[in-house]
Amino acid sequence: MITDYRSAFIDLAYLVSAIIFIFGLKRLSSPATARTGNRYAMIAMGIALVVTLADPSLHWKAINVAILVIG
């Protein structure tokens, strides 16, 4: 029995995102389907980004420091 539904949802969303990335990479193998492959990859990255930002264990201080160092 799953007691922490939020972490289960996060894990499932990461799995879906990874599967969409794989399909996107497969579509990039041909010039005729490369546009849809890019779209799949953008959708997968959007899902991964939203799920990452929704994670309650996210360390915002570390992210802010990384942004300051890089930018």
Side-chain angles (χ1 to χ4, degrees):
M1 181 173 170
I2 298 173
T3 57
D4 187 9
Y5 293 107
R6 177 179 253 175
S7 67
F9 176 75
I10 289 171
D11 291 341
L12 181 64
Y14 279 134
L15 178 65
V16 169
S17 178
I19 291 170
I20 295 171
F21 267 125
I22 291 169
F23 282 123
L25 286 173
K26 175 73 173 148
R27 302 285 291 181
L28 287 174
S29 64
S30 167
T33 60
R35 284 188 182 188
T36 57
N38 279 331
R39 285 191 189 114
Y40 287 169
M42 286 190 302
I43 291 168
M45 193 63 203
I47 292 170
L49 179 65
V50 168
V51 171
T52 300
L53 294 177
D55 191 356
S57 65
L58 185 67
H59 298 286
W60 286 101
K61 290 180 183 177
I63 291 173
N64 289 333
V65 169
I67 289 172
L68 288 173
V69 169
I70 293 172

